Amino acid sequence: MNRLKPGEVQYQYRHAIGGFFEFPIEHARKLLPSSMSPIEMHHGQGILSVMMFDFSGSQVGEYGELVLSVPVAPRLVPGRPMPRASFFPFLVGTTTQASREHAIELWHLPHFMEDIQIEFTVEEHDIRAAASQDGKKILNMHITDYEWEPVEHHYQAFERDATGTYMATMAMNAQFSENEEERGSIEIHQHPFTAGISAAGVNTTPFRELWMRDGFQTFQPLEKIGAGAA
Amino acid sequence: MAHQSDSDTGLEDQRDAGTASGVSNSDYDYSNFYYSSSDDLFAIFGPYDDWWYGTARKNGYYLFSQPMSTPPGAQINLEEQLNHQPVELLNLASYNYLGLSHHPEVIAAAKQALDHYGLGAAGSPILSGTMDVHLTLEKELAAFKKKEAVMVFPTGYSTNVGLLSALLRPGDWVILDQNVHASIVDGAILAKAQVRFFRHNQPADLEKKLRGTTGKRLVVVEGVYSMDGDMVCLPEMVEVSKRHGAKIMIDEAHSTFMYGKEGRGVAEHFGLEDEVDIHVGTFSKALGGQGGFVAGSQSLYNYLMGFARSRVFSCALAPAVTAGVLQALRITKREPQLRATLWSNVAHFRGLMSAGGVDVGDSTSQIIPIMIRNDRRILAIAQKLQQAGLYLQPIIFPAVAKHRSRFRVSISATHTTAQLDQAAAILINTLREEGIL
């Protein structure tokens, strides 16, 4: 873990897993503010990013988090690193009220306003995560590994609410595995959480699978970059 | 203006200290720099140059676009671009499948045309750029392909872009194998057609993607896929397309003049030449030249004459190249033993790879991928291969999926058995040293 600079916020995690799934670009556009454009996987195909975190330490303790987002064009800021990727999270679910309130206050992230449950099952070369709410399934994701290496990756996330449009920049330090072997999967169940994507024609096989373990996520102070939603 | 090398500009030295931001981008690739948002159109150049000069080039990207000073034959000379040293290499990277790019008759025909016509066509094919040699090539190629008409384009890329954008309009559907060439995708984009991709070479997924489509529909496959060297399962693709009332097009860039009893391509191989609605090919692969063509009905030719904008608004194929390609076509017809030699070489090299335990993926063709499956190590391995005297191009993400990196071997009829043995020995030894085998 790095020593924090003023204003930085850090989260430790046991596992952070992600799947990139193709879905129609028109649907990706519907999930974004009009000022943002979705990245295309192929012509006409946008990307749905599903990330699930098993946080082991933070200002609000241990918790799990499910983040649905759309990858968008990175914002270039002179003198800053080119981020590895940029995202617009359009819905976040957490397992505790404290973590939800914390993320809304600090990061202006749009949340599902009830607690969900996330269960991780780790095996030697793959990991499964099941999100549910009081026994009602939300989604299940299966991610496989490839080769592992220590990394420091830089990302951006954009948020927008009534108060403004914001940019969060973060570094992810972890043991990292990434592949496009198409061995993973997702099951999206009918649930209020998935209402925005359940009928969106999401491919059930991720074209890219990511898995970070025993890492930490360091956020720079949030920056306001524009006006809020009307 | 002449292109300046990196050492000429001094940019490389400036960037040696690393990125301006001080953050490692050693695992970045081209895809990281495709999208960006800024008020400055050129803002991306800074981060891109940081990556290119600070990391990418010295880690192996210099291996791309090294200037060759010989014909693209079995033995080549090129200037290695890291230390700017001349090197002599055994070449398994060039298309030139039948070795015709430097065939004496081809060169003589091109020289004669150069003397006769001059350097360029000096006009669009629909205005003043069409010369008698263009029409002769189209006529002889149509007879060879057993089609009513053939239209010649300046490049393979412009062939697909011009063809698809001529035929398709917004609201039409084009259903593409996910591994088709960029020119096909770009043609569909230019046409503003609705695009769906089906999983590579899977008729069941084509069926799924055709469901719910209405109106004008075109399915596009390739005869042999350029990165994996595998052949399309054409009978199934044709059956599914026809059952849904869709037209089907085959791009035989890597199979025309090689597959089939007469060399007309994979459609001939399967006996499906009449069932396929549009045939595309290129002159830059088996014929060792430049340009592309569409083969089909006279009506298709007539329509493309008016609406294939990439052809209408380009200068016609240079007459010297056209004459060289024409002679190469005549040689392929006259000398079927070239194809036999090619396939014998393919079988020999494939046998060597099999004996050495080398993973060649699903290839069944003269394109043999040597699967490395590690995006970083492949560049280091490519450097070792070059130092050992073997020229192979690494193919990495985003040209192929992450960790599906490979070397793309292109076998030619002009390779000798001794050269193939030598290349295989270098390859296998290097892969063993690197722990890939």
Side-chain angles (χ1 to χ4, degrees), chain A residues 69-88:
Chain A
S69 58
V70 174
V72 296
R75 182 181 173 92
L76 296 178
V77 182
R80 298 225 199 136
M82 179 83 184
R84 198 167 194 265
S86 299
F87 299 90
F88 182 82

Side-chain angles (χ1 to χ4, degrees), chain A residues 121-137:
Chain A
T121 308
V122 185
E123 295 179 7
E124 188 177 356
H125 294 295
D126 56 357
I127 180 167
R128 294 168 198 275
S132 60
Q133 184 193 17
D134 301 330
K136 193 171 181 192
K137 292 178 179 178

Side-chain angles (χ1 to χ4, degrees), chain B residues 302-321:
Chain B
N302 296 343
Y303 194 76
L304 293 180
M305 182 70 89
F307 296 101
R309 290 166 64 88
S310 65
R311 181 173 182 270
V312 168
F313 296 101
S314 292
C315 188
L317 189 65
V321 173

Side-chain angles (χ1 to χ4, degrees), chain A residues 135-153:
Chain A
K136 193 171 181 192
K137 292 178 179 178
I138 297 174
L139 63 80
N140 296 43
M141 188 160 69
H142 174 219
I143 294 298
T144 65
D145 77 350
Y146 198 74
E147 291 176 352
W148 291 88
E149 59 179 350
V151 299
E152 178 177 312
H153 287 160

Side-chain angles (χ1 to χ4, degrees), chain B residues 188-205:
Chain B
I189 293 171
L190 191 60
K192 301 185 181 72
Q194 301 179 88
V195 180
R196 281 183 182 168
F197 292 88
F198 62 92
R199 292 171 78 79
H200 176 52
N201 224 3
Q202 293 189 16
D205 200 46

Side-chain angles (χ1 to χ4, degrees), chain B residues 89-395:
Chain B
L89 300 168
L90 186 52
N91 177 23
L92 267 69
S94 298
Y95 301 137
N96 201 17
Y97 299 129
L98 298 179
L100 294 170
S101 82
H102 48 285
H103 190 289
E105 289 181 39
V106 171
I107 293 169
K111 280 181 177 171
Q112 193 176 2
L114 188 63
D115 290 340
H116 184 75
Y117 298 99
L119 184 60
S124 159
I126 67 154
L127 297 174
S128 61
T130 295
M131 295 170 169
D132 49 6
V133 68
H134 292 117
L135 298 184
T136 303
L137 175 59
E138 290 185 344
K139 194 174 170 185
E140 290 198 19
L141 193 50
F144 171 73
K145 290 287 286 183
K146 296 188 183 299
K147 294 294 166 193
E148 286 181 8
V150 158
M151 176 173 284
V152 169
F153 286 71
T155 65
Y157 180 86
S158 67
T159 306
N160 282 326
V161 168
L163 170 65
L164 269 72
S165 61
L167 293 180
L168 298 162
R169 298 288 174 271
D172 297 342
W173 284 99
V174 57
I175 320 294
L176 308 176
D177 185 291
Q178 69 183 75
N179 285 6
V180 295
H181 191 260
S183 56
I184 295 167
V185 179
D186 290 358
I189 293 171
L190 191 60
K192 301 185 181 72
Q194 301 179 88
V195 180
R196 281 183 182 168
F197 292 88
F198 62 92
R199 292 171 78 79
H200 176 52
N201 224 3
Q202 293 189 16
D205 200 46
L206 170 61
E207 172 110 45
K208 191 175 157 190
K209 297 296 162 58
L210 275 166
R211 276 188 210 132
T213 61
T214 55
K216 289 185 276 182
R217 287 159 299 165
L218 176 66
V219 172
V220 185
V221 297
E222 295 187 7
V224 165
Y225 288 88
S226 62
M227 293 299 169
D228 290 293
D230 55 335
M231 187 167 59
V232 63
C233 48
L234 191 61
E236 294 86 349
M237 296 296 178
V238 167
E239 189 277 324
V240 172
S241 301
K242 297 294 174 190
R243 185 151 42 77
H244 285 266
K247 297 281 192 269
I248 183 164
M249 162 189 154
I250 186 167
D251 180 343
E252 300 230 40
H254 291 275
S255 47
T256 310
F257 311 114
M258 290 170 286
Y259 275 76
K261 190 179 173 191
E262 303 294 327
R264 292 195 298 274
V266 163
E268 184 203 357
H269 170 83
F270 283 113
L272 290 167
E273 289 170 282
D274 292 337
E275 284 74 10
V276 173
D277 301 287
I278 305 170
H279 300 254
V280 166
T282 63
F283 305 133
S284 52
K285 313 301 190 300
L287 299 191
Q290 184 181 326
F293 68 88
V294 176
S297 67
Q298 183 63 46
S299 298
L300 175 65
Y301 183 98
N302 296 343
Y303 194 76
L304 293 180
M305 182 70 89
F307 296 101
R309 290 166 64 88
S310 65
R311 181 173 182 270
V312 168
F313 296 101
S314 292
C315 188
L317 189 65
V321 173
T322 309
V325 165
L326 176 60
Q327 188 57 37
L329 170 64
R330 289 170 177 168
I331 293 169
T332 62
K333 288 194 286 186
R334 188 186 71 204
E335 300 180 17
Q337 63 269 30
L338 281 175
R339 294 199 300 278
T341 304
L342 171 67
W343 292 121
S344 172
N345 281 352
V346 169
H348 181 70
F349 192 80
R350 190 178 293 284
L352 294 170
M353 293 299 99
S354 177
V358 178
D359 177 1
V360 297
D362 298 324
S363 168
T364 57
S365 71
Q366 77 286 357
I367 300 167
I368 302 177
I370 307 298
M371 302 302 294
I372 303 300
R373 302 182 191 275
N374 187 307
D375 294 348
R376 288 198 198 177
R377 291 188 60 202
I378 190 170
L379 294 171
I381 295 169
Q383 293 175 73
K384 287 191 86 168
L385 288 172
Q386 186 162 305
Q387 287 159 7
L390 181 59
Y391 185 49
L392 279 176
Q393 282 287 287
I395 308 290

